Amino acid sequence: MIHILENKVLSSMLTVLRNENTKSSEFREKLRLAGFFLTYEILNGHNQAEEIKVRTPLILTTGVRINAPILQLVVMRAGMHLAIGGGELMDQLNIPFEIGVVDAKRLEEDAPDLDFDVDITSFKVPSVDKKDIIIYEPMLATGGTITKILTKIYEKGMPLKLIIASIVSAPFGVEKIEKLFPDVHIYTLAFDEQGEFKGLNGDGYIVPGLGDCGDRAFGTY
Ligand code: URA
């Protein structure tokens, strides 16, 4: 299921990320901020919260604490700043969480149907059982990397919920995930459909998109 977070604040942030003139430093900053707000929406929509007692200076009253075990899964390298922003929010709220890191690479540069084969080169992920897993992947393009990661998660155990935090998603990847993993929730700031191939151009880039997210964040373009 896809959740497109549309509001003026998030759209203005996305506009800075889309702008080709945005410098790497500001690009990283906005990715972190986007990760913070995406995680805010995800926690609000998904996590269990328990009622707790809290003493104000005046009286004992009831409050709320988010308490489901959370595992952040960072898809390197583009997902790094998004995950840092999400972690900042959870740290602010004293929500404990674990972090797993995944590295993936495309096996070939050209695939006529854009169905690039992906190799997971590193999967450093703690136990996934009974946890809410938030996968930070800013560009949900072909869905090849994410479907491989989801498969590996299910080989490892049984999470409570699987949620993808993304900046821009294309129908190509979203349709693939919805078909193979219908229970997965996708939170995204934009659903870009202008590319010729279900939102993608012939090289697998999302259109209008924001270009190569990893290169822009790491200053390597
Ligand atoms: N990865 C990116 O960084 N950008 C795209 O448009 C697609 C995949």
Side-chain angles (χ1 to χ4, degrees):
M1 184 188 294
I2 182 159
H3 309 260
I4 305 167
L5 308 182
E6 280 170 332
N7 70 53
K8 272 182 259 171
V9 175
L10 297 178
S11 295
S12 67
M13 202 157 62
L14 175 64
T15 304
V16 177
L17 286 166
R18 287 198 195 275
N19 188 337
E20 65 174 352
N21 293 319
T22 299
K23 291 197 307 263
S24 258
S25 54
E26 190 178 6
F27 193 83
R28 288 191 287 274
E29 203 178 278
K30 294 295 175 290
L31 276 181
R32 282 214 317 275
L33 200 58
F36 187 98
F37 285 114
L38 277 163
T39 306
Y40 168 94
E41 291 287 347
I42 289 166
L43 294 183
N44 199 33
H46 281 275
N47 278 90
Q48 298 150 26
E50 61 176 341
E51 247 185 34
I52 57 165
K53 292 284 174 209
V54 59
R55 188 173 293 282
T56 75
L58 304 175
I59 193 179
L60 187 67
T61 186
T62 45
V64 160
R65 179 166 60 201
I66 293 173
N67 63 357
I70 297 168
L71 170 60
Q72 277 198 329
L73 220 151
V74 190
V75 183
M76 292 299 276
R77 63 182 168 161
M80 186 174 108
H81 298 95
L82 211 54
I84 289 173
E88 279 166 5
L89 172 69
M90 292 194 273
D91 283 342
Q92 290 277 351
L93 298 175
N94 289 321
I95 301 170
F97 63 98
E98 295 170 299
I99 306 173
V101 180
V102 181
D103 232 320
K105 81 165 187 324
R106 275 184 190 172
L107 284 182
E108 76 283 345
E109 280 314 309
D110 296 313
D113 51 2
L114 292 179
D115 238 342
F116 301 100
D117 205 4
V118 172
D119 190 20
I120 305 286
T121 51
S122 168
F123 191 75
K124 296 210 170 76
V125 178
S127 160
V128 299
D129 287 320
K130 300 194 179 120
K131 291 176 188 164
D132 284 352
I133 304 185
I134 308 176
I135 306 172
Y136 291 86
E137 164 62 293
M139 307 304 283
L140 187 43
T142 66
T145 302
I146 289 285
T147 49
K148 275 264 163 103
I149 291 171
L150 291 169
T151 305
K152 278 189 86 72
I153 289 173
Y154 279 120
E155 280 167 10
K156 206 171 156 62
M158 195 47 75
L160 271 183
K161 284 180 192 142
L162 281 161
I163 302 148
I164 298 166
S166 122
I167 301 284
V168 185
S169 302
F172 194 107
V174 171
E175 282 174 21
K176 186 188 282 177
I177 291 164
E178 286 182 337
K179 188 160 154 232
L180 297 173
F181 301 96
D183 293 337
V184 171
H185 290 265
I186 301 165
Y187 279 73
T188 190
L189 299 192
F191 187 62
D192 282 4
E193 303 181 80
Q194 287 181 36
E196 197 182 343
F197 307 101
K198 295 186 179 176
L200 308 180
N201 69 11
D203 295 321
Y205 279 88
I206 302 176
V207 182
L210 45 81
D212 190 308
C213 188
D215 275 348
R216 295 193 66 192
F218 285 79
T220 51
Y221 51 95

